[in-house]
Amino acid sequence: MLRDVDIRRPLHGWLENRYRRHCHTKILSEMNIPRPSARIDIAVVNGELAGYEIKSDADSLARLPIQMRAFNRVFDKVFLVTTERHLSAAIALVPEFWGLATSSQYGNDVRIRTRRQASKNLKIDLEAQLHLLNLIEIITILKDANVVARASKLRRNEAIRLLTDNIAERNLRGYILDALKSRT
């Protein structure tokens, strides 16, 4: 029986191996997604934002519909990494653009196998992506884009509104990805 921890380490290694030649890639664990509140297990940030959600043998798929609503708003690509136990239900549940992978135990090793490639999510909500950022990151973008010189008294929603009103969507997406990649 595979648990989350049994899948997480091999998945992280699989992603590091997959993106090791991409020096501008950042792999983040446990990224919070607001509105609706959810947490993606692993996020990969480079020229796009990809999310990897783990559902182990010990997990239930009961929360997945709420998580899907949150993930579909912010990720360019989304992958569900599960086990054979949940695969049939997962195929029926997740949208067609989601990728699917299974994790299986082979002796002492856990292997990740892609079952369906993810395709581009065409319904990204830019404001939802901005809510991935903390206020310091948002203010940094405002300053870097020369929207404001001083923003210390801005509230989060005011700062987000300034960003969406003053920076083109394509440029703003670049700022968002850069802010996420700069996290430690």
Side-chain angles (χ1 to χ4, degrees):
M1 179 168 175
L2 289 173
R3 296 166 298 144
D4 182 283
V5 69
D6 301 323
I7 298 168
R8 187 178 299 265
R9 276 191 221 111
L11 176 59
H12 212 281
W14 184 72
L15 291 169
E16 285 176 351
N17 188 49
R18 183 175 183 182
Y19 292 104
R20 73 172 178 252
R21 290 191 179 107
H22 301 95
C23 61
H24 298 290
T25 297
K26 180 81 169 202
I27 299 173
L28 302 169
S29 294
E30 300 288 330
M31 177 188 272
N32 289 319
I33 315 297
R35 301 180 182 187
S37 181
R39 182 182 299 140
I40 194 83
D41 290 307
I42 299 175
V44 176
V45 189
N46 47 32
E48 64 185 11
L49 185 57
Y52 292 80
E53 178 62 17
I54 298 168
K55 293 297 181 193
S56 72
D57 287 327
D59 290 325
S60 160
L61 299 183
R63 289 182 314 129
L64 191 56
I66 292 168
Q67 291 172 308
M68 286 169 31
R69 284 201 321 267
F71 301 160
N72 290 348
R73 294 182 70 207
V74 298
F75 289 104
D76 297 299
K77 292 185 178 173
V78 189
F79 298 84
L80 179 64
V81 182
T82 189
T83 61
E84 292 293 334
R85 175 178 178 220
H86 294 304
L87 184 60
S88 294
I91 289 170
L93 193 57
V94 300
E96 285 289 318
F97 69 87
W98 276 43
L100 288 167
T102 52
S103 52
S104 304
Q105 184 125 25
Y106 292 93
N108 292 332
D109 294 332
V110 173
R111 296 184 188 161
I112 309 295
R113 178 177 164 214
T114 302
R115 298 299 191 103
R116 179 172 79 197
Q117 289 293 335
S119 55
K120 183 98 170 138
N121 176 6
L122 301 176
K123 295 183 179 179
I124 300 295
D125 180 342
L126 187 64
E127 192 166 322
Q129 281 191 333
L130 285 166
H131 280 278
L132 297 174
L133 305 179
N134 61 49
L135 185 56
I136 293 169
E137 292 166 329
I138 293 167
I139 289 172
T140 300
I141 294 170
L142 285 168
K143 289 177 180 177
D144 289 350
N146 295 315
V147 175
V148 294
R150 294 171 17 140
S152 60
K153 297 195 187 221
L154 283 175
R155 291 188 188 134
R156 180 186 183 81
N157 287 336
E158 293 170 325
I160 287 174
R161 185 63 49 220
L162 280 171
L163 288 173
T164 57
D165 288 349
N166 292 287
I167 302 175
E169 184 174 329
R170 194 174 117 223
N171 296 338
L172 196 46
R173 288 248 319 134
Y175 281 119
I176 293 167
L177 295 174
D178 287 345
L180 292 172
K181 284 189 280 188
S182 70
R183 289 184 175 174
T184 53

